[in-house]
Amino acid sequence: MRRVVVTGIGTVNALAGDVPGTFAAFRVGRSGIGPLTFRDAGRLTIRVGAEVRDWDEARFTPPERALYDRVTQYALVAAGEALAMAGLAGPLGPRAGVIMGTAAGGIQTWEESYRTVFAEGRNRVPPLVVPRLMHNAAASHLSIRHGASGPVLSVASACASANHALGLALQQIRLGAADVMLAGGAEAMLCFGGVKAWEGLRVLSPDMCRPFSLGRRGMVIGDGAGVLVLEDEAHARARGARVLAELAGFGMTADAGDIVAPDPGGAAGAMRAALADAGLAAGDVGYVNAHGTGTLLNDRSEARAIRAVFGEAVPPVSSTKAMHGHAIGATGALEAMACILALTEGILPPTVGFQAPDPDCALDVVADGARKARVEAALSNAFAFGGLNAVLAFRRA
């Protein structure tokens, strides 16, 4: 079976507009959560989020801005950084593809169009509304810009979208359908309508995200994108690429139960499947980047699942959502980067804001700053509404 390696990573998120800035924030435990600044934020009950601040749309031409929703802009910038790190330039050709995850797609375009026809009473919207808002826009524009004419598609599985995208990209390379895949996720849900919809679920924190901590009050939404360059190892070595890590395994399950309440059995099953796919034993794992949303139900369910897989020998666990927020369909790609930091530099990012252990979340939570440890393998968990679970297993290169 072909081994698949990571040769490039790129990101835009609330912590920074690139990978070096994001890693710097991971090392010191800096949070990007703060007051929301978009239009009509003052009408919301929840007024905090992990925004991408001071975004400069002028980096795109006027025709591009007419065509790209914010979610696509984020994806294009992140992919450009990832390809530059990998030392790849387009056109990438028929042996390269793109799989991107997103939960909401061009939601900001939806909102602008609704304002136009309902609030302002106009009878027309711009002609490019449909290609701006479609869920496959980011994947398609990455394909077009970089000449990737192999397998290209979009994945929408709520909070597991990016992990599903990365796992499916792994499989495409293993199957021999591609040598190079751009994969990850992008989200731009921080707008009035996006946050108002989440308010209805009553799962949002009014201040901070404190995963696994006693007294936690819920999740905080974030925006951004993360893109990884995945390659067949032989292809990467032949061109002299620097290998960051191996994407060694992928597991996905469905709870087939409740639409919003998680099932520890489904989560544990996905972790076991990822380990088996990677040929790893539970004892080989030195770090778990948890889904860790900061809600009472999710954190307790995930803690039970982790203990079911690892028993008493639970490896260190952290949730970086306390820093970059829950970027929904993009969050798995941001968390994959945290795993790569752990593997390449031996730095386990902290769970920022952790106050006191929750007895119902009996884990070794990385708190009070980043932790140094040699890590040979790491898991990255993503568990979504709809009972969809996707777990990635990474191994030191």
Side-chain angles (χ1 to χ4, degrees), residues 56-68 73 132 145:
D56 182 14
E57 293 197 352
R59 71 184 73 198
F60 300 101
T61 66
E64 289 172 335
R65 293 200 295 272
L67 187 57
Y68 301 158
Q73 295 178 26
R132 278 177 63 97
R145 174 164 291 195

Side-chain angles (χ1 to χ4, degrees), residues 37-59:
T37 62
F38 54 74
R39 182 179 179 183
D40 286 335
R43 293 176 55 199
L44 295 165
T45 303
I46 299 297
R47 299 181 184 180
V48 297
E51 280 187 309
V52 175
R53 301 185 187 277
D54 302 318
W55 180 249
D56 182 14
E57 293 197 352
R59 71 184 73 198

Side-chain angles (χ1 to χ4, degrees), residues 211-229:
F212 303 112
S213 179
L214 201 64
R216 63 192 180 278
R217 303 176 70 183
M219 58 181 267
V220 174
I221 299 175
D223 268 1
V227 177
L228 280 66
V229 177

